Amino acid sequence: MTAQKTTQKKVIVNGKGNSKQHAFAAALGEIQQKLMQESEVLLRVEPFEVEVLAATEQTFTERFLFFFFPRKRTNYQVQLAVTVEVSEIDLTLVPFMQEKIADPEGINLPFVSKKIKTN
């Protein structure tokens, strides 16, 4: 009996960065975080298809003390729809055996005896 199941899911993720590579890396790094919210135990996440929903390049001029040292800055934002194949363990299919044991963190007191002395 196997408790592993494989499904395909579509995840929409966003990413920001100072370069195109950083924006895509931030978006792709968010996939596992979103999938962990939905499932308990992930074995493997494999992307099959990446669709770019939106890609934005924002350019502005930055100045020191409003007048000095102007420089051009660029930020990138992407929104991706990623189809992934997810292998996970379905915990409802795993049969757990129940055992009753003594408290493992309990303290055994050797000087206390259960025998009652009677004279």
Side-chain angles (χ1 to χ4, degrees):
M1 177 175 138
T2 179
Q4 179 180 345
K5 68 176 185 176
T6 304
T7 57
Q8 280 195 354
K9 296 182 180 180
K10 192 169 192 174
V11 181
I12 296 177
V13 291
N14 299 309
K16 296 180 187 179
N18 295 335
S19 68
K20 295 175 185 177
Q21 292 85 0
H22 286 145
F24 272 90
L28 294 175
E30 193 178 306
I31 293 173
Q32 185 175 5
Q33 294 173 2
K34 283 203 172 190
L35 292 175
M36 286 298 288
Q37 294 173 353
E38 299 173 6
S39 66
E40 297 168 353
V41 180
L42 291 178
L43 294 176
R44 187 175 73 186
V45 178
E46 183 178 346
F48 272 115
E49 182 180 346
V50 177
E51 179 184 348
V52 178
L53 299 178
T56 308
E57 178 181 341
Q58 298 173 339
T59 306
F60 59 95
T61 303
E62 182 180 68
R63 290 183 169 88
F64 177 70
L65 292 177
F66 303 107
F67 300 109
F68 305 109
F69 308 114
R71 67 177 176 177
K72 205 174 241 191
R73 301 284 298 217
T74 306
N75 289 331
Y76 296 92
Q77 295 179 349
V78 294
Q79 183 178 30
L80 306 175
V82 183
T83 304
V84 295
E85 184 174 291
V86 180
S87 296
E88 59 186 323
I89 294 178
D90 189 3
L91 293 180
T92 59
L93 298 177
V94 178
F96 284 94
M97 294 177 51
Q98 294 183 355
E99 295 179 357
K100 293 202 177 218
I101 59 171
D103 186 9
E105 296 179 10
I107 299 173
N108 290 333
L109 301 174
F111 55 85
V112 177
S113 175
K114 292 183 181 180
K115 295 181 184 177
I116 299 175
K117 294 182 182 179
T118 56
N119 290 337

